[in-house]
Amino acid sequence: MIDVAIIIGSTRPGRKGEAVAGWVHDRAVKRGDARFEVVDLADFALPSLDEPMPAITGQYAQPHTHTWAAKIASFDAYVFVTPEYNHSAPGPLKNAIDFLYAEWTNKAVGFVGYGSAGGVRAIEHLRLVMSCLQVAHVSAQVELSLFSDFEDFTAFHPAGRHEDTLTTLLDQVIAWSSALKPLRTGEHHGA
């Protein structure tokens, strides 16, 4: 069975990511075709990248990096729940991604964005980052508007149409992650 992390990409006090991730998780666990776990960046308290060696070497010196690496390595796929800050992804999310390399590769990712423009610019930046890490990003994405999916910009009440998009996103993430499994397990044969 595929293990999927639903990663809360904001650590800001008062963030909306917890409510959005809870909504994603509540719908995802009803599927029965994968296991889902919410992973909150705030629980890891990662400092600004402080590893002396590049992540691609896998030579981690810091205990917090080992803890983060073990958590991320335990999943086959990811759904990033990301706000958009100044036309991009939040710094803590990019920082958390940059700590690791091999733990991300040959997996699949989907994006649930939120913000004044649905988080689309943050998602586009994250797609570039994920490509560099050899993570297959699926085409379906959920775009939640602060204007229409959050009452008074605070209480999360997503429009019903987002559930269909989320279902498609999860279908794609699970399918792609399943297809990439031979690359993760070394069962593929090179040319």
Side-chain angles (χ1 to χ4, degrees):
M1 188 170 282
I2 298 297
D3 289 297
V4 182
I6 300 166
I7 299 176
I8 302 174
S10 172
T11 59
R12 184 181 62 80
R15 64 196 170 151
K16 294 166 181 47
E18 289 174 289
V20 175
W23 172 78
V24 171
H25 184 264
D26 290 348
R27 276 127 195 92
V29 296
K30 294 176 184 175
R31 298 174 59 93
D33 58 350
R35 288 183 294 260
F36 298 88
E37 179 183 336
V38 174
V39 176
D40 190 343
L41 290 185
D43 293 339
F44 291 86
L46 294 169
S48 291
L49 185 57
D50 62 349
E51 284 292 336
M53 297 295 292
I56 198 166
T57 69
Q59 297 176 27
Y60 305 137
Q62 305 297 337
H64 51 261
T65 308
H66 287 282
T67 300
W68 178 237
K71 177 53 86 175
I72 293 305
S74 72
F75 295 102
D76 302 298
Y78 310 97
V79 174
F80 286 134
V81 173
T82 183
E84 181 176 310
Y85 296 161
N86 300 316
H87 288 217
S88 192
L93 177 54
K94 177 65 166 71
N95 184 60
I97 293 167
D98 290 344
F99 263 93
L100 309 176
Y101 183 81
E103 294 80 3
W104 297 114
T105 61
N106 297 320
K107 298 179 182 180
V109 67
F111 302 99
V112 175
Y114 59 95
S116 60
V120 296
R121 294 167 293 212
I123 292 170
E124 287 305 306
H125 290 172
L126 289 168
R127 287 183 184 283
L128 292 171
V129 173
M130 291 291 103
S131 292
C132 182
L133 294 170
Q134 301 179 65
V135 180
H137 42 94
V138 302
S139 62
Q141 63 188 38
V142 177
E143 303 163 9
L144 301 165
S145 171
L146 289 177
F147 298 104
S148 59
D149 295 307
F150 294 85
E151 185 179 324
D152 296 324
F153 298 97
T154 54
F156 182 49
H157 299 290
R161 65 184 168 82
H162 296 304
E163 289 200 33
D164 290 340
T165 307
L166 178 61
T167 297
T168 301
L169 181 154
L170 295 172
D171 289 346
Q172 291 176 354
V173 165
I174 292 166
W176 282 39
S177 183
S178 297
L180 291 167
K181 189 172 184 176
L183 293 176
R184 293 192 302 276
T185 60
E187 296 171 11
H188 70 289
H189 302 285

